[in-house]
Every structure is written in C-alpha cells, then in structure tokens.
Amino acid sequence: MRSRYITHFLATFFLLATLGATAQETDSFHVDSTGRLFVNPGTPVYIYLSTSPDGSDAVRLNSLNPEDMPMHWDGHGPHYLTHLNLYMGRKIRFDLYADAISPKTSTSFDAKKGVQKNDVIYISGVATLELNAIDSHSGINAIYYSVNESEFQNYNQPLVFDKEGEYTLKFYAIDNVGNKEDEGKRVIVVDTTPPETTLDIQGPKHENVVSPQSKFELNATDKVGVQATYYAINDAKDTRYKRAIPMASLPEGEHAIKWYSADIVGNKEEPQTFTFFVDRTPPMVFEEITGNTYMVAGKEYSSGRSQLRIAAVDNKAGVKEIYYSINNKPFELYNKPIFLSEISGAVSIRSYAVDNVNNKGESDASGQEFAMPEIDITGPNISHSFTGKNITLRDTLWIGPETKINITANDRGAGLNRIEYKLNNETSEPYQEPFTVKQAGYHKLSTTAWDYVENLNVASIEFGVDANAPELFHNFSVEPYKHTDSNGETIPVFSGGVKLYVAATDNIVGVDRVTFSINDSKERVYSQPITGFKSNQTHSVKLRAIDKMGNETFKTIMFRVE
C-alpha cells in the first residue's frame, strides 16, 4: 500500500503488525496517551486478522499482489484503514499516523553567566547546560550526547562545565518511532579570565606628562569578547568608553584616570589607574652674548671669542629642542654656543624652545638687536730692554748683576691689561718695574702679556749674567833687596828707579780698564809701568780692575824705596 492506503474488508478483522528494533531499541508502533497509533513511514507493516482480542489466533492477510507486501506508508501525516460493514450499512475506519519528522534538540544555560553566538556558547565560571528535545508527533524517546569526541551516551541530567577551556558538544534525539535527529554541535567555551585593557597615549607625551593636544586610547582584549570598557577621570562617575579621550578640557596640573573592562560573560577586570600631568606651560627662553669686551676711548672691543648662548627652562616636561635665527635667516637647531666673530655691525637674534610635549616658548618676538664690538684677536706686542751694562759676545747677550731688565708691551686694540714674567723654572709673577738678576750663569726669561679682552702674547729671551770680577796681577822691575817692618807688616824694599807693572784678565766679557792711585792721590787709568816713586819713603799703591760688566777687583800694594 503506498501513500494513502485504503482497504475495504467484508468481515470483522484484527490488525497486527511487526517491526524490527532500531539501534536504540525503539518500538515498532507507538501509542500516545490519547490512543493515537504512530508508525515510521519506512517501517514494513503486515496486517493480521484475529477472532480474539489479544490476537493470539491472528492470521496474516496476503495481498493478491505479492509485491505489495509488506506495506509501507509514504509521507508524514494521518493514514486510514477502512472496512465497509454491509450488515451495519456504514464504514468502519481505523486511524494510523505516519511520523516522518525527526525531533529537534536545543541547548539552554544560565543567561546571567553565558551567551551564545552561532554554535559557540560562552560561559563564565561553573555552569550547567541543558539539552531540550521536542517532537510534536510520536514524542521523544531519548537524547544522546558526546563531549570532545567521547562515546555517545544517554542524556538524563544537565551537563556541568566547571573547568576553563573549550569543549565540543555533539547531540541528537530519537522519537518513539525511531526517527533520528541529525547531530547537533555546540562549542562551549568556559571563560573565567577577565579582559585586559591597556592605555595608549596619542600625541605628545614625556613619561607621565602630556599635552592638551594628547588623547588617551583604551584598548581591551578578551578571548571571548569585550562587552564594554569604562573610565573615570579624577572623581567623575564611570563613563562608557567609545572613542579616544581628549585632554584639551583638563586644567594644567596632576590628574588620574581609572579604567576597567567587562567581557560578554560577565568577567570584570580589576580597575587600573594612571596618574598624569597636563602641561600647558611653554619653556622660557634666555639669550646671552658672552665673551670679553672692553671699552677704549668710547669704542668697544671683543676678543673674537664672543658667543651666543641660549638657555631654556621648563616647568615640567623638560626642554626638548632650542632653535635660533640670526639676522632673519632660517631657524637652526641650537646645540652649542655660536661664535659671532665673523659678524660685524648690527645683529638681530630670535629664538624659541619646545618642551617634550611640544609646548612652544619664544623669546622677544621682535628679537634682540645689538651692535657687535670690534674684533681684537691679537695679543700685545712684547719687547725687552736693558738699563746698564750689556754686551753680545759670540751670539750670547751678557749683562751685569746691576743691569736692570725692562719689559714693555703695547696693544693697539683693547689695550694692555697686565704682564707676567718667569725666570727659568720659577713661578710667574706680575711685572711692575725693572729688575736685576744677581745670579751668575745662563738664564731664560719668559714673558706673557694680556690685553683687556684676554688676548695674550708670549715672548722669551736668553741671556747670561757675568757677576765675576777680573783677576789683578802686578810685578816689579827688580827684585827687592831686603824686607822691612812697617806697622807690624813685612814689606819689600826696592832701590830707586823701580818700576811697577800691572795686568788684569777676565774670562767672560773682558777687562774694561785698570786704575791706580799712589799714596791716596787721584786715581788714574793704568796704561804703562808706574814709575817715579820717591826714595826713603814707604808707598801705598791701590789698584782697581773693572770688566765690561762693571765687576771690580781691588788690590793694595805696600813697599819702600831707599
């Protein structure tokens, strides 16, 4: 019998059928609580006649066409077996329901702890999940499930997931006539970890100092999904974060921002706090021209070492860069003092500084203007001179111990400031007036002179000091013929006509002259033997030898002529 199968019987009959059991041992027929009979359309059915209510003597009816046995019901819905009772004059109908629709299974969980997206269920913490199957025809026979590819087992109580991780749940249901549902699948993610939210600063920043142009960006991540991020600045109420938070409305000073995020299953992050400073104050810029200058006769002189120095100070973030412009040229980055020696005449300087959060501070907008002084880069001229004896012999300058050394210096620019000198390896000392060197021998004199803008010059000379007197020698033309006593001193006695010869030597600069005086007479220069000594008289001759440096040797000769 195919589709709506209707049979007319001429006698009372008893209907029986048999059905092979399914894998889940479902019955061949199912009679619900209202007495309705359900059969699976694909189940082979046979019809039996019996005279007893329990069908103990039932006999199977065979169709005239053997191909129609067993019978199958096609399609889903009610079917009818009808017998025309001629005796009673009416039709007797037997109802039969073909159930071809499989059950439908759904999942449910505590909505306060989880959320479902497509086939993925996200649950926070320990949660139970229930499988609910419905079948509007023959009814549910059983529900089966498998977790993480385990063997399918009968579902009879809610499933508990209490450990963080990802689970794959498969399930299906079977109705009372063996219709099996296609396997359903859910991925269950148990998440107990709250989101992580980071704060990123867009725009100028330096450590915890920000600019009014800065913005705070909150970025939250969560493996399940972020539901919302909240923040509060200072003592304000929590506000849901939607876009970068501008700092433009905050006054200068210290502030604090608090933030946290919650994920879609209710895990809430512990609040985080960041303390920051809004810096609205630009740096202060200072310009200075440094170097030695000096006024002479109304004119200003500079050493050529004049420099432009620029300094800047900042209240909080610190100075990042300084820029300068000289005489309206393009601004340049300032790294170190700038020498101005190549610039003359009027000079205009402008500068500005930027702090580490890009606040910009400028010097006087009109710039600083001034006239550069005249450049003096030459030290004083130094010269040495001598007052007293001096002579050059064999490329060596010789002076005497009484010879004064004079140091002079002059400067045509800023003018002479001071002179210092050093003799040999001694300590330098200021030069104030001419001086002498008493120590005999060779010497080196080093002199340094400064002008009023600290330009200097150095000069040195080498010289020798002759402090040794000549040696005096005398000799008589004859030998004394006797000696006599005079005032307790033994003196020689010569005959009349005796002559006195005198000589002197000097090993360095030479003898200048020899002089003599007889008996305290006027001193005369010795040029020839001394004669004319009177007889019967004791004589005293005083000799003096002088070298060319003025060093002197004295000698007195006592003798008698008879």
Side-chain angles (χ1 to χ4, degrees), residues 23 56 112 183 278 406 448 477 486:
S56 58
K112 295 181 179 179
E183 286 185 7
V278 176
N406 307 296
T448 304
S477 58
S486 175

Side-chain angles (χ1 to χ4, degrees), residues 198-203 212-219 229 231 233 239-249 257:
T198 58
L199 183 145
D200 296 321
I201 301 176
Q202 299 176 349
Q213 288 75 44
S214 303
K215 295 181 179 180
F216 286 177
E217 186 178 70
L218 298 175
N219 297 298
T229 298
Y231 74 94
I233 295 180
T239 302
R240 185 163 184 169
Y241 174 80
K242 296 181 179 179
R243 62 184 63 88
I245 308 161
M247 298 293 102
S249 62
I257 181 172

Side-chain angles (χ1 to χ4, degrees), residues 2-29:
R2 305 287 180 185
S3 190
R4 302 283 184 177
Y5 190 93
I6 303 175
T7 305
H8 301 275
F9 293 93
L10 300 178
T12 302
F13 65 90
F14 187 85
L15 178 62
L16 294 174
T18 60
L19 175 65
T22 67
Q24 280 74 33
E25 299 297 331
T26 56
D27 294 332
S28 302
F29 294 123

Side-chain angles (χ1 to χ4, degrees), residues 22 26 225 235 278 383 445 505:
T22 67
T26 56
D235 296 325
V278 176
S383 63
L445 176 67
T505 62

Side-chain angles (χ1 to χ4, degrees), residues 86-99:
L86 297 178
Y87 177 76
M88 298 177 64
R90 61 184 176 85
K91 292 180 180 180
I92 300 174
R93 190 177 72 176
F94 300 91
D95 295 339
L96 179 67
Y97 292 87
D99 183 0

Side-chain angles (χ1 to χ4, degrees), residues 487-522:
N487 297 323
E489 182 180 353
T490 301
I491 61 173
V493 179
F494 296 96
S495 61
V498 64
K499 297 180 179 179
L500 176 61
Y501 294 88
V502 179
T505 62
D506 188 87
N507 293 331
I508 298 178
V509 298
V511 176
D512 180 61
R513 66 187 182 277
V514 176
T515 64
F516 67 94
S517 171
I518 301 174
N519 300 325
D520 296 324
S521 64
K522 183 178 179 180

Side-chain angles (χ1 to χ4, degrees), residues 10-142:
L10 300 178
T12 302
F13 65 90
F14 187 85
L15 178 62
L16 294 174
T18 60
L19 175 65
T22 67
Q24 280 74 33
E25 299 297 331
T26 56
D27 294 332
S28 302
F29 294 123
H30 176 70
V31 179
D32 67 10
S33 60
T34 64
R36 292 186 301 172
L37 176 63
F38 291 88
V39 65
N40 190 299
T43 302
V45 176
Y46 298 88
I47 299 176
Y48 287 77
L49 290 178
S50 176
T51 58
S52 62
D54 60 3
S56 58
D57 59 350
V59 177
R60 189 175 72 180
L61 295 181
N62 292 318
S63 173
L64 295 177
N65 185 359
E67 295 179 357
D68 291 335
M69 297 302 292
M71 295 180 295
H72 295 81
W73 273 258
D74 292 337
H76 176 79
H79 297 267
Y80 307 100
L81 295 176
T82 304
H83 167 63
L84 178 60
N85 190 328
L86 297 178
Y87 177 76
M88 298 177 64
R90 61 184 176 85
K91 292 180 180 180
I92 300 174
R93 190 177 72 176
F94 300 91
D95 295 339
L96 179 67
Y97 292 87
D99 183 0
I101 299 177
S102 301
K104 298 293 183 184
T105 304
S106 62
T107 57
S108 63
F109 55 89
D110 189 345
K112 295 181 179 179
K113 296 183 178 180
V115 65
Q116 180 169 338
K117 289 186 175 181
N118 298 323
D119 289 337
V120 181
I121 299 173
Y122 299 96
I123 299 174
S124 173
V126 178
T128 58
L129 184 141
E130 295 187 23
L131 298 175
N132 301 294
I134 58 172
D135 188 273
S136 58
H137 302 290
S138 63
I140 298 299
N141 178 270

Side-chain angles (χ1 to χ4, degrees), residues 205-227:
K205 65 176 179 178
H206 178 70
E207 297 175 348
N208 71 326
V209 182
V210 300
S211 161
Q213 288 75 44
S214 303
K215 295 181 179 180
F216 286 177
E217 186 178 70
L218 298 175
N219 297 298
T221 57
D222 188 83
K223 61 184 177 182
V224 171
V226 177
Q227 181 188 53

